[in-house]
Amino acid sequence: MTSASDSPVPPVSNQPLSGSATAKPRTGADPSRLADDSGQGKTTIASGVVQKIAGIAAREVSGVYSMGGGVSRAFGAIRERIPGGTGTSQAAGVQVEVGEKQAAIDLDIIVEYGAGIVELARAVRRNVIGAVEQMTGLEVIEVNIAVNDIHMPGDDNDAEPAPATTSRVE
């Protein structure tokens, strides 16, 4: 995999997208696909979209128990208990910086005990880059992964019943 600093980015052309652009390997994103500005309109992708894609792609990798640090997981648990809330956020533990053509992603993960962290990080990075680049056309220049905790199989205290307080919100 090459990084953005290994090779200069070629100038963007205003040619329409060809069907073969999706068949190319995603190691160096096709600049014409990134700048979908062909005179018929411009496509922009919100950072929340990239966040959600990256979060889902990271969770797909076996060995990732959960996403986020202690604070973001606590807020996620509160959000799940609010009726009508959005439930578990796919963006918990994911921070992104999105430009016109590139994205940088930071992930906070909790790993299952026994998983090889180095190999797991490689698999997460590969899956996130592939998903974000394939779905958005943005070049992912880096995926930084912070392993915040290890989940032990007997540590399923997350499944304890909710307190018996009445909710103010219905």
Side-chain angles (χ1 to χ4, degrees):
M1 174 192 235
T2 60
S3 68
S5 61
D6 291 342
S7 63
V9 177
V12 176
S13 70
N14 285 331
Q15 297 177 4
L17 299 178
S18 66
S20 64
T22 56
K24 290 184 179 181
R26 299 303 304 161
T27 54
D30 181 15
S32 63
R33 181 163 182 229
L34 297 177
D36 192 12
D37 189 8
S38 63
Q40 295 178 331
K42 184 175 181 177
T43 303
T44 58
I45 300 168
S47 61
V49 172
V50 176
Q51 254 185 325
K52 201 175 265 192
I53 293 168
I56 293 169
R59 284 178 186 80
E60 288 176 344
V61 178
S62 178
V64 174
Y65 174 73
S66 182
M67 301 283 297
V71 175
S72 68
R73 286 194 326 235
F75 281 125
I78 291 168
R79 192 179 319 120
E80 283 179 355
R81 292 183 180 158
I82 297 174
T86 59
T88 304
S89 171
Q90 298 299 329
V94 182
Q95 297 81 38
V96 299
E97 188 176 332
V98 179
E100 288 184 24
K101 300 173 189 163
Q102 297 178 326
I105 302 167
D106 296 324
L107 303 172
D108 295 322
I109 66 173
I110 289 93
V111 175
E112 290 280 354
Y113 178 78
I117 294 174
V118 173
E119 294 83 16
L120 179 66
R122 282 188 193 125
V124 168
R125 192 171 281 116
R126 187 172 40 247
N127 205 44
V128 168
I129 290 170
V132 171
E133 287 187 348
Q134 188 270 327
M135 291 181 73
T136 67
L138 294 167
E139 177 189 14
V140 178
I141 58 171
E142 66 182 8
V143 176
N144 300 309
I145 299 172
V147 177
N148 291 325
D149 201 357
I150 292 182
H151 176 260
M152 303 297 285
D155 287 348
D156 288 329
N157 294 339
D158 299 336
E160 66 187 29
T165 59
T166 56
S167 175
R168 297 185 323 178
V169 182
E170 286 189 25

